[in-house]
């Protein structure tokens, strides 16, 4: 593990731009020995104390004013990092970092890594997503549905069983923090969500969203419901089953804009990663747009977007990773589309290596 702080971190800043018209400051980092390890970023998460972690295909990088990078340690199988190819990250309620790999899961407590459920479920299967919902951890695993870790025990939501999903592969997860429902998106088998009490949760398919087969991703929405988006539209699917269209790609400009990643922030903004740079949309207006044409980016293809607790708006392109801060400009107003009511609302101490397995009923 290598760590860079203080003055050296300033020297590692590859690019820092200020837009005098708006006061926005953009800081950009290129991959290097003392910077982020790779711009092939698969996931971003923030710890309780403000450390921003990046899961890449070449190891894990963390930023807290300086960069720390960690790589696999095959000589330390019991307490070291098992692989450099990371797919997902999430911090749990205890501030432990859960790490998903191309095969396997570990936790990291800041000092050493723990292998999770060695040889049973996770060892040979890719991890598609990890989600923290309250005190629970949900894991989308290979072609085996979902696992939930809650109160030191695991529940397996097996595909095509009672209580599980009629889908083998789950690509992404989101949580409706108002109702507590978990949403699971399968590219091949649609969108699912949980209903029932915490100890008796079961999944039911969401069939009331128009063009549901074209959904590209889902993500949390801080004000109830979840964000669902295609490459051209961003919606909120509410707790009660209504769909509201927030942004249409044509409203952002005359270019052929396609959405690649979306995050809703707690200050009521949408961060939108596109093939034409990164947009910040709030109050029905484009508050900020950074791209090659505005001079802040060297590549317009945004892979990931993320807002941290210090209100830094992070972006990742194939060549650079960075963030911008400062005053947000007001430019183009966006008209919100109408809400489409749902006429038939859907029903609605880490002892990690010694666990109890609970299976959903198989009928």
């Amino acid at each position: 593990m290598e760590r860079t702080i203080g003055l050296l971190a300033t020297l590692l800043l590859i690019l820092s731009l200020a837009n005098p018209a708006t006061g926005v400051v953009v800081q950009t980092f290129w991959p290097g020995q003392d910077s982020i390890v790779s711009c092939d970023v698969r996931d971003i998460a923030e710890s309780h104390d403000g450390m921003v972690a990046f899961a890449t295909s070449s190891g894990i990088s963390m930023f807290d004013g300086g960069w720390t990078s960690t790589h696999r340690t095959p000589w330390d199988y019991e307490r070291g990092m098992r692989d450099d190819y990371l797919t997902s990250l999430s911090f749990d309620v205890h501030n432990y970092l859960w790490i998903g790999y191309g095969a396997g899961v570990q936790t990291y407590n800041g000092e050493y890594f723990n292998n999770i459920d060695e040889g049973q479920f996770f060892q040979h299967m890719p991890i598609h997503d990890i989600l923290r919902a309250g005190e629970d951890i949900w894991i989308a695993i290979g072609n085996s549905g979902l696992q939930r870790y809650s109160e030191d025990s695991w529940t397996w939501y097996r595909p095509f069983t009672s209580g599980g999903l009629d889908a083998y592969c789950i690509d992404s997860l989101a949580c409706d923090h108002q109702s507590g429902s978990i949403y699971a998106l399968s590219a091949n088998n649609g969108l699912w969500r949980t209903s029932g009490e915490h100890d008796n949760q079961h999944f039911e398919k969401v069939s009331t969203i128009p063009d549901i087969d074209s959904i590209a991703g889902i993500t949390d929405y801080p004000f109830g419901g979840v964000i669902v988006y295609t490459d051209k539209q961003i919606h909120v699917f509410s707790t009660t089953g209504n769909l509201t269209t927030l942004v249409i790609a044509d409203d952002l400009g005359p270019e052929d804009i396609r959405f690649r990643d979306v995050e809703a922030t707690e200050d009521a903004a949408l961060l939108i990663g596109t093939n034409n740079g990164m947009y910040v949309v709030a109050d029905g207006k484009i508050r900020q747009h950074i791209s090659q044409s505005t001079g802040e980016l060297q590549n317009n293809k945004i892979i990931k977007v993320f807002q941290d607790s210090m209100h830094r708006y992070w972006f990742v392109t194939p060549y650079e990773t960075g963030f911008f801060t400062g005053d947000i400009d007001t430019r183009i107003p966006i008209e919100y589309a109408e809400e489409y009511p749902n006429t038939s609302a859907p029903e609605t101490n880490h002892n990690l290596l010694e666990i109890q397995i609970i299976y959903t009923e198989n009928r």
Side-chain angles (χ1 to χ4, degrees):
M1 181 179 293
E2 299 171 344
R3 187 172 183 82
T4 304
I5 57 175
L7 180 60
L8 185 54
T10 304
L11 298 177
L12 292 172
L13 182 63
I14 304 300
L15 183 61
S16 179
L17 299 174
N19 185 332
T22 65
V24 171
V25 176
V26 181
Q27 296 186 347
T28 305
F29 306 92
W30 292 349
Q33 182 178 359
D34 296 314
S35 183
I36 189 168
V37 70
S38 169
C39 285
D40 186 9
V41 174
R42 307 307 177 90
D43 202 2
I44 306 174
E46 184 179 8
S47 70
H48 300 189
D49 52 1
M51 175 84 74
V52 182
F54 297 79
T56 84
S57 60
S58 300
I60 184 173
S61 289
M62 298 187 183
F63 183 84
D64 64 349
W67 288 99
T68 300
S69 294
T70 305
H71 301 277
R72 75 184 186 98
T73 52
W75 59 88
D76 188 7
Y77 185 80
E78 294 298 325
R79 296 163 65 92
M81 185 170 162
R82 68 182 301 166
D83 196 355
D84 280 338
Y85 188 88
L86 282 66
T87 59
S88 54
L89 293 172
S90 186
F91 286 92
D92 69 13
V93 69
H94 305 290
N95 209 28
Y96 285 16
L97 179 61
W98 290 66
I99 305 169
Y101 298 97
V105 178
Q106 288 185 306
T107 61
Y108 178 57
N109 64 8
E111 297 181 4
Y112 56 86
F113 295 83
N114 275 324
N115 296 313
I116 301 300
D117 200 27
E118 184 66 26
Q120 296 187 40
F121 287 105
F122 302 119
Q123 186 174 10
H124 302 294
M125 289 185 283
I127 305 304
H128 303 301
D129 200 5
I130 301 177
L131 172 73
R132 179 172 77 90
E135 296 186 0
D136 296 350
I137 291 288
W138 291 79
I139 301 176
I141 173 173
N143 288 318
S144 298
L146 295 173
Q147 291 276 353
R148 184 185 73 178
Y149 181 74
S150 179
E151 298 179 351
D152 294 328
S153 66
W154 292 90
T155 302
W156 181 17
Y157 291 83
R158 294 193 288 180
F160 297 94
T161 63
S162 175
L165 308 87
D166 291 347
Y168 290 106
C169 178
I170 303 303
D171 298 284
S172 58
L173 298 165
C175 179
D176 177 354
H177 296 283
Q178 180 175 338
S179 68
S181 291
I182 303 300
Y183 284 74
L185 177 65
S186 168
N188 296 322
N189 298 96
L191 182 64
W192 299 74
R193 73 173 179 177
T194 58
S195 62
E197 298 298 325
H198 177 272
D199 294 332
N200 190 31
Q201 287 183 325
H202 55 278
F203 280 90
E204 297 173 342
K205 192 167 187 178
V206 176
S207 57
T208 56
I209 297 179
D211 301 322
I212 194 169
D213 292 338
S214 63
I215 293 177
I218 58 176
T219 190
D220 294 6
Y221 189 59
F223 311 105
V226 294
I227 292 283
V228 297
Y229 62 93
T230 70
D231 65 345
K232 285 292 188 178
Q233 298 185 16
I234 301 172
H235 313 277
V236 172
F237 187 70
S238 74
T239 300
T240 57
N242 294 326
L243 189 72
T244 302
T245 302
L246 298 182
V247 179
I248 298 174
D250 291 345
D251 294 331
L252 299 184
E255 301 87 354
D256 181 21
I257 295 173
R258 297 185 180 273
F259 302 143
R260 298 181 179 274
D261 192 32
V262 177
E263 177 167 326
T265 73
E266 293 185 357
D267 51 4
L270 286 176
L271 310 186
I272 308 173
T274 78
N275 59 332
N276 189 44
M278 178 177 173
Y279 293 83
V280 180
V281 175
D283 299 323
K285 299 179 177 64
I286 298 175
R287 299 294 184 172
Q288 188 65 32
H289 175 216
I290 62 170
S291 67
Q292 285 179 296
S293 62
T294 61
E296 291 95 352
L297 299 183
Q298 299 203 8
N299 189 283
N300 274 341
K301 180 182 176 182
I302 301 294
I303 298 171
K304 296 293 294 182
V305 296
F306 184 79
Q307 185 197 30
D308 65 22
S309 59
M310 296 182 66
H311 298 281
R312 294 176 294 205
Y313 294 159
W314 288 88
F315 56 85
V316 181
T317 81
Y319 304 107
E320 60 208 325
T321 297
F323 60 83
F324 63 89
T325 58
D327 298 330
I328 301 300
D329 191 14
T330 300
R331 298 182 181 181
I332 306 169
I334 295 176
E335 296 295 332
Y336 280 13
E338 65 178 304
E339 180 178 282
Y340 298 94
N342 175 12
T343 55
S344 58
E347 301 176 15
T348 59
N349 177 358
H350 277 51
N351 189 13
L352 297 176
L353 298 182
E354 298 178 4
I355 59 178
Q356 174 187 3
I357 305 298
I358 303 173
Y359 300 91
T360 57
E361 182 181 357
N362 187 359
R363 294 177 179 172

